[in-house]
Amino acid sequence: MMAALSPNAQWVLFSTLILGVAAGIVGCLAHWKRQSLMSDALAHAALPGVVIGYVLAGVKSLPFMIAGAAASALLGALFVQWIRTGSRVKEDAAMGIVLSVFFGFGIMLLTIVNHLPGGNQSGLDGFIFGQAAAMVRKDVWMMAGLALLVVLVVAVSFKEWKLFLFDPRFARGLGLSGRWMDAMYTALLVLVIVVGIQAVGVILMAALLIIPAVSARYWTHSFGRMLILSALFGGGAGVAGTLISVKGEGWPTGPFIVIAASALFAVSFLFGARKGLLVGWVQRYIRKRRDARILDGNRIRRDERLPRTISEAERVH
């Protein structure tokens, strides 16, 4: 299969594989932290930084645009925190505000840049829905390095993440700083987003963070196994979407990655070993049959006792 792909397609396949693994791992953290919407908000908040990075560099420079996207996404995270703590607005509403304001501002900047001389040739529109096919070897190495950094950080600090997510009070008692873990979580989330927006775009990046983790939840209750499954689902979706997209002329990679992830979710939703629809139906059916047998047994024993009781009554009389 790899031999049949062009060298550029092989690099894209490698990058989407690593991106899917990293997104699946960080998405699992977001799922247990109950902040899945945060990934969507920060992905949209990264768009203004991409455009500003292009303007500052004067050319399409991936390091400048990634740095701009990271700064913009971090600013969006700070705004969410500021709105949540400084007002009565709930966290999900704060995320929605940041998502819409930053994305609207990014679209406005993008429109202005496209009307500048040569701006329509910048290719910045691809960052909305992704442009994996346009990546070169240097871009892939940068993305792979950042994604592997995310995987390494989570793997090394696995015990700390488990304590922080499931028993924060005990973690504070052991001296683990909740503020530091929150900052690390935000940094990892932003890092995965800025790595993936070139491949799948700011709109679809949230799906790659959310869907693999939710799919993995249908197969296990263990945090460690869920991390591994989410990484496998994310990487598998990246590979499957890339292989499908290279079969057609001009087929976008990002949407096919999301469709592949959605197909994995559908399978997990139906056949998941822990919370799958089919497994739940089978369990309910077995429980219903067991309850029916118990009721039938009780009825038979009651019926067996009834004649004997009547006979004893007749003998007494």
Side-chain angles (χ1 to χ4, degrees):
M1 176 65 70
M2 290 291 292
L5 299 177
S6 65
N8 182 64
Q10 293 180 19
W11 283 109
V12 172
L13 182 68
F14 174 69
S15 66
T16 53
L17 169 63
I18 299 297
L19 169 63
V21 170
I25 290 176
V26 176
C28 187
L29 301 181
H31 174 81
W32 284 111
K33 208 172 183 299
R34 294 177 176 85
Q35 285 192 342
S36 295
L37 183 59
M38 178 67 86
S39 59
D40 196 16
L42 298 189
H44 286 76
L47 182 59
V50 172
V51 182
I52 293 174
Y54 169 79
V55 173
L56 293 178
V59 293
K60 188 179 178 182
S61 172
L62 187 61
F64 271 88
M65 290 188 290
I66 282 183
S72 182
L74 285 173
L75 184 61
L78 291 176
F79 268 106
V80 170
Q81 182 69 16
W82 176 69
I83 293 173
R84 187 176 65 86
T85 58
S87 67
R88 295 183 179 180
V89 177
K90 294 183 179 180
E91 188 175 35
D92 56 346
M95 293 177 189
I97 292 171
V98 169
L99 183 154
S100 56
V101 170
F102 273 70
F103 187 66
F105 182 57
I107 294 295
M108 183 191 70
L109 292 178
L110 187 62
T111 303
I112 294 174
V113 169
N114 284 338
H115 283 83
L116 295 176
N120 56 353
Q121 303 297 325
S122 63
L124 293 178
D125 291 341
F127 280 89
I128 298 179
F129 297 105
Q131 49 180 1
M135 291 188 299
V136 297
R137 181 180 302 184
K138 182 175 65 175
D139 299 339
V140 172
W141 278 119
M142 177 179 294
M143 290 176 58
L146 294 175
L148 287 174
L149 176 63
V150 171
V151 175
L152 182 62
V153 169
V154 176
V156 170
S157 55
F158 171 76
K159 292 182 179 179
E160 287 76 8
W161 285 112
K162 197 171 183 179
L163 283 173
F164 170 67
L165 293 172
F166 295 98
D167 200 344
R169 292 184 179 180
F170 182 65
R172 285 196 297 269
L174 294 178
L176 186 63
S177 173
R179 182 174 298 180
W180 169 250
M181 293 300 294
D182 274 325
M184 186 183 297
Y185 161 75
T186 303
L188 291 176
L189 184 59
V190 169
L191 195 57
V192 170
I193 288 171
V194 300
V195 166
I197 54 176
Q198 187 178 14
V200 298
V202 297
I203 294 180
L204 300 177
M205 186 61 217
L208 195 56
L209 282 161
I210 296 172
I211 296 177
V214 175
S215 302
R217 188 68 179 90
Y218 280 94
W219 295 97
T220 180
H221 295 310
S222 168
F223 176 62
R225 294 192 190 99
M226 183 176 170
L227 272 177
I228 296 173
L229 280 177
S230 184
L232 291 175
F233 287 162
V239 171
T242 303
L243 291 177
I244 294 173
S245 66
V246 298
K247 297 299 181 180
E249 185 67 28
W251 287 4
T253 304
F256 279 106
I257 291 176
V258 175
I259 290 174
S262 301
L264 288 173
F265 169 75
V267 172
S268 302
F269 177 72
L270 292 174
F271 305 107
R274 293 299 179 185
K275 299 174 65 177
L277 193 64
L278 180 62
V279 171
W281 181 84
V282 171
Q283 290 175 345
R284 287 192 297 271
Y285 177 77
I286 293 174
R287 187 163 53 247
K288 185 177 179 180
R289 291 291 302 272
R290 185 182 66 244
D291 294 342
R293 286 197 300 269
I294 293 173
L295 290 174
D296 290 340
N298 292 335
R299 187 180 300 110
I300 291 172
R301 285 193 294 270
R302 188 171 62 251
D303 293 341
E304 289 176 348
R305 286 196 302 269
L306 185 59
R308 185 171 62 251
T309 305
I310 294 175
S311 302
E312 292 174 353
E314 290 177 348
R315 284 198 301 270
V316 170
H317 289 290

